[in-house]
């Protein structure tokens, strides 16, 4: 079995950050989001991995993740051809690499607890043509949704229905055999102008043997800023005490409570309270500050005279504002300073398109 990982797309719902950084490289618990997908694939014993990326981004991705040896795998980076025509089209784009094999198709912005090994076993042992993973969600109209008959039979899957026929989302984890490519040749674009993966699943329901499995642990599609923050919090919750470490320098006045990781070369203190779960990167300096639960602070960050909680701070940000920051995503090399440090007094803003500020 092979794996196809989707790591392209425009990520319009994560602007302005996604203007300059591929969503799949955004840090969650101080690791690129996509690395957690590679973890799940490796746990399932899959070593041949195709990574679908935007045109021109293959080298960027390879520079971050390498050739796959970190996961005892072989990575092949394939640039999407023909434009953004839906995720079903992204699979068809990889046909030369997948023909003749079964494969798991994993959306790179999906993170989950546990692993996909049980799904792989069921797919193979039952000789399925397709297996989909489902998750019960509050807002299924944001996702592909399965429709069941009165006897529980899976009838079809529909994309972002106005009136969802069930409370489940089709997660971004799919198992297919290579009949996929025969089915795709019968597809036409939807009203959105895209080749929908839900239409492909429905084709398998009508022409093959399809299984479905509900994910019992947590699952998160990190498509919006609030989802990124929740995904970061879920991953921080997963930190075991034996996975935490303090490698930096910590002043005697610092209070550390709960699960906290501090990277090498970081200097914490004086007068800092860190209340976990929190991850602090390398070469970061924090003074006169409070770091609250569910915060990830990147590498080379300077943070002074500030309280921050339930937030993600990217690398090389500088924060010294005398304020309390919550529920925020702060991009690389961002500067947040107090109005007391410059004249005239007031709130100075340099904002790109789609920025969000609360004053």
């Amino acid at each position: 079995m092979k794996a196809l990982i989707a790591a392209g797309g425009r990520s319009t719902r994560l602007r302005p950050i996604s203007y300059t950084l591929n969503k799949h490289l955004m840090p969650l618990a101080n690791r690129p989001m996509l690395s957690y997908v590679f973890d799940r694939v490796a746990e399932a014993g899959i070593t041949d991995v195709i990574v679908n990326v935007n045109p021109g981004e293959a080298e960027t991705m390879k520079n971050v993740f390498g050739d796959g040896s970190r996961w005892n795998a072989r990575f092949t980076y394939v640039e999407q051809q023909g434009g953004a025509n839906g995720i079903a089209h992204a699979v068809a784009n990889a046909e030369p690499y997948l023909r003749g094999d079964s494969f798991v198709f994993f959306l790179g912005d999906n993170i989950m607890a546990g692993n996909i090994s049980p799904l792989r076993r069921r797919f193979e042992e039952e000789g399925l043509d397709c297996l989909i993973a489902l998750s019960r969600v509050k807002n299924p109209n944001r996702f592909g949704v399965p429709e069941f008959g009165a006897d529980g039979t899976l009838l079809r899957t529909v994309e972002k229905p106005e009136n969802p026929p069930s409370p489940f989302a089709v997660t971004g984890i799919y198992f297919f055999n290579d009949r996929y490519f025969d089915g795709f040749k019968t597809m036409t674009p939807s009203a959105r102008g895209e080749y929908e993966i839900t239409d492909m699943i429905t084709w398998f329901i009508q022409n093959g043997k399809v299984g479905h499995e509900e994910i019992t642990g947590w699952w998160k599609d990190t498509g919006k800023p609030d989802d990124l923050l929740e995904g970061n919090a879920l991953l921080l919750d997963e930190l075991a005490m034996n996975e935490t470490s303090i490698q930096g320098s910590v002043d005697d006045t610092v209070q550390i409570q709960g699960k906290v990781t501090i990277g090498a070369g970081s200097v914490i203190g004086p007068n800092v309270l860190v209340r976990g779960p929190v991850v602090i990167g390398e070469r970061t300096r924090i003074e006169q500050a409070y770091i609250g639960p569910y915060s990830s602070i990147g590498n080379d960050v300077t943070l002074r005279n500030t309280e921050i909680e339930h937030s993600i701070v990217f690398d090389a940000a500088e924060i010294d504002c005398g304020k309390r920051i919550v529920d925020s995503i702060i991009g690389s090399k961002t500067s947040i300073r107090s109005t007391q440090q410059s004249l005239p007094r007031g709130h100075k803003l340099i904002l790109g398109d789609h920025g969000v500020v609360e004053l």
Side-chain angles (χ1 to χ4, degrees):
M1 176 171 285
K2 295 181 178 180
L4 173 64
I5 312 299
R10 295 183 293 265
S11 307
T12 56
R13 294 179 295 174
L14 286 172
R15 290 175 178 170
I17 294 174
S18 59
Y19 279 131
T20 55
L21 183 66
N22 184 301
K23 169 174 66 174
H24 304 90
L25 298 180
M26 293 180 186
L28 297 178
N30 278 10
R31 289 178 57 192
M33 181 192 308
L34 195 60
S35 67
Y36 296 101
V37 174
F38 294 145
D39 289 349
R40 301 288 85 83
V41 168
E43 289 165 355
I46 299 171
T47 59
D48 197 341
V49 180
I50 295 90
V51 186
N52 181 84
V53 301
N54 291 325
E57 291 190 351
E59 199 62 29
T60 299
M61 287 291 186
K62 188 172 183 179
N63 288 340
V64 174
F65 299 110
D67 61 2
S69 55
R70 200 182 320 169
W71 287 271
N72 296 314
R74 180 183 65 189
F75 288 0
T76 302
Y77 297 91
V78 177
E79 295 188 357
Q80 177 74 35
Q81 302 299 317
N85 293 317
I87 60 174
H89 181 261
V91 180
N93 185 67
E95 179 177 359
Y97 305 90
L98 298 171
R99 231 347 160 171
D101 296 288
S102 295
F103 58 97
V104 57
F105 177 42
F106 207 131
L107 300 188
D109 59 357
N110 279 222
I111 56 173
M112 61 177 290
N115 64 61
I116 61 172
S117 297
L119 300 176
R120 178 184 179 179
R121 283 196 298 271
R122 182 179 169 199
F123 176 82
E124 293 177 335
E125 290 172 359
E126 296 183 15
L128 299 176
D129 298 300
C130 169
L131 174 67
I132 58 175
L134 307 178
S135 181
R136 191 180 294 267
V137 295
K138 294 179 181 178
N139 48 352
N141 58 310
R142 284 181 51 196
F143 305 97
V145 180
E147 180 178 346
F148 298 97
D151 61 352
T153 302
L154 181 61
L155 301 178
R156 62 174 182 149
T157 55
V158 290
E159 189 65 29
K160 297 179 176 62
E162 185 175 343
N163 298 301
S166 76
F168 295 99
V170 178
T171 72
I173 306 161
Y174 321 83
F175 287 80
F176 298 113
N177 61 23
D178 75 340
R179 293 186 62 211
Y180 181 99
F181 305 106
D182 299 323
F184 183 80
K185 291 178 173 61
T186 72
M187 295 293 108
T188 56
S190 67
R192 302 194 305 161
E194 297 187 2
Y195 290 94
E196 308 288 3
I197 198 71
T198 45
D199 289 342
M200 281 302 311
I201 296 166
T202 298
W203 181 87
F204 271 106
I205 292 169
Q206 296 168 347
N207 296 277
K209 187 178 180 182
V210 176
H212 58 88
E213 189 85 21
E214 182 179 356
I215 294 176
T216 54
W218 59 262
W219 162 80
K220 194 66 189 171
D221 172 8
T222 56
K224 299 191 300 183
D226 286 349
D227 298 325
L228 271 185
L229 289 169
E230 186 177 352
N232 185 64
L234 289 166
L235 289 166
L236 288 173
D237 261 338
E238 291 282 299
L239 284 176
M241 289 302 292
N242 59 7
E243 294 176 336
T244 61
S245 65
I246 297 177
Q247 300 180 48
S249 172
V250 178
D251 189 85
D252 291 341
T253 63
V254 173
Q255 299 179 65
I256 295 179
Q257 302 172 354
K259 297 184 290 185
V260 175
T261 291
I262 300 173
S266 289
V267 179
I268 313 299
N271 300 321
V272 172
L273 169 60
V274 185
R275 182 171 291 156
V278 163
V279 174
I280 298 170
E282 300 179 349
R283 302 174 303 280
T284 284
R285 186 170 192 94
I286 300 175
E287 302 173 355
Q288 308 286 343
Y290 165 67
I291 312 297
Y294 302 113
S295 296
S296 295
I297 312 297
N299 302 320
D300 303 300
V301 170
T302 300
L303 196 154
R304 298 185 177 96
N305 306 309
T306 301
E307 295 191 3
I308 191 165
E309 187 169 289
H310 194 254
S311 296
I312 302 172
V313 180
F314 289 23
D315 293 350
E318 296 185 10
I319 306 173
D320 184 354
C321 65
K323 302 292 184 182
R324 178 174 172 82
I325 297 171
V326 298
D327 303 337
S328 297
I329 301 172
I330 299 170
S332 298
K333 300 181 181 179
T334 296
S335 176
I336 303 175
R337 294 176 293 178
S338 169
T339 58
Q340 305 301 314
Q341 297 177 16
S342 63
L343 293 172
R345 300 285 167 81
H347 300 290
K348 179 181 179 180
L349 306 176
I350 301 174
L351 293 171
D353 295 349
H354 302 279
V356 177
V357 174
E358 295 184 11
L359 297 174

